[in-house]
Amino acid sequence: MKPQRKVLGSILSAAVMLTLLAGCGGQTPAPAAAPAAPATTKEAPAPTDNKKLVVGFSQIGAESGWRGAETASIQETAKNDPTIELKFSDAQQKQENQIKAIRTFIAQKVDVIAMAPVVETGWEAVLTEAKNAKIPVILVDRNIDKKNEDLYTTFIGSDFVLEGQNAAKAMVEHLGGKGNIVELEGTVGASAAVDRKKGFDDEIKKHPDIKIVKSQSGDFNRATGKQVMEAILKSPEGKNIQGVYAHNDDMALGAIQAIEEAGKKPGSDIKIVSIDGIKEAFEAIKAGKLNTVVECNPLLGPQLFQAAKDLKAGKQLDKWIKSNEEVFSGQKAIDALPNRKY
Ligand code: GZL
């Protein structure tokens, strides 16, 4: 056999051998083209930074149904959002506990501090420490003294003066323009109490035949509201009362108990107007024991964490992120009851 033929023959035999080997292993050799890209290659984007946004929240306590609904909204929103880590502290109504919690959040270097300030004053030192630590502060549901507004980024909450005005307009209507009123005030020094009083009292002043004969704090609490109302009903003023304005539903529900125990009919002998909009207040309207409730939205969790994310994304926030609210009486309240969320 000529040498060229020999070489050709060996090449052909090698090719045949190679083909046979491939057939056995069931593995067809990868085509000459680029190898298949493995699951991750150095060109893939680096894994995203999965550091959570850490928010320290100082809650006032658990003084009312409204407060409980706000806590639930904040905790559930955080629990359902994998990008958020919530550090939650309950101050049990004490400002010193809120100040301690804020100092702890600063030491822990949280990304954002949020709080519902129990009263308007006494925050300058601790919020200055937060500012110096470059940790932004978001106020939720209650505000602090205007002179310190440079110490927080935004306030997420209601217009309490408007709530008080709306409560007064409802009371004037229920009384037909004349009568004596008892005012059950919220926590002394709390922005919600200060502004709900201002809104209500200023509106009532437009009606000279309506008088606020007694105004006292029930601390936004049902038991305290009942005790205060019991004492007022036993006082000289208590003999001639046509209306009760409560800064929140829990105190109104306490007052309703006291009025019934005194042998009078709440909702008819004595008209009752309150603020918050918890389900029990709607049920009291349906039972004819309460006349108007002015809504104050406690479901602030989604707005809080959206604001925190916007802050960390470098967005500019409004100084006041307002909640939108309605006023409920009579059939409107009864129709709304099945859909109430808190
Ligand atoms: C309002 C909130 C008030 C509620 C009360 O934003 O601060 O505190 O009206 C609660 O029920 O105790």
Side-chain angles (χ1 to χ4, degrees), residues 131-207:
K131 187 172 185 177
N132 294 340
K134 297 189 177 18
I135 300 175
V137 173
I138 295 175
L139 300 183
V140 176
D141 112 60
R142 289 190 192 171
N143 212 327
I144 63 173
D145 196 320
K146 292 254 176 302
K147 72 177 170 55
N148 292 134
E149 68 179 9
D150 63 310
L151 296 178
Y152 68 87
T153 303
T154 187
F155 163 58
I156 301 172
S158 307
D159 182 341
F160 300 128
V161 172
L162 178 63
E163 289 175 344
Q165 289 166 343
N166 285 335
K169 287 173 183 165
M171 182 62 85
V172 168
E173 201 176 316
H174 291 312
L175 295 184
K178 62 180 180 300
N180 294 329
I181 297 175
V182 166
E183 183 171 354
L184 298 177
E185 300 181 14
T187 302
V188 176
S191 63
V194 171
D195 288 350
R196 284 172 183 169
K197 178 170 186 63
K198 174 170 174 40
F200 184 88
D201 293 11
D202 289 352
E203 187 65 29
I204 290 296
K205 282 186 190 122
K206 299 174 187 172
H207 302 271

Side-chain angles (χ1 to χ4, degrees), residues 60 62-67 70 93 116-117 140-142 155-158 160 163 187 190-193 196 219-221 247-250 275-276 278 296-298 300 325:
I60 291 174
E63 74 282 2
S64 65
W66 188 99
R67 184 67 51 200
E70 183 190 60
Q93 311 311 115
V140 176
D141 112 60
R142 289 190 192 171
F155 163 58
I156 301 172
S158 307
F160 300 128
E163 289 175 344
T187 302
S191 63
R196 284 172 183 169
D219 205 18
F220 282 132
N221 177 272
H247 288 189
N248 83 331
D249 295 341
D250 282 74
I275 300 175
D276 273 353
I278 63 172
C296 175
N297 181 12
L300 301 177
E325 292 141 358

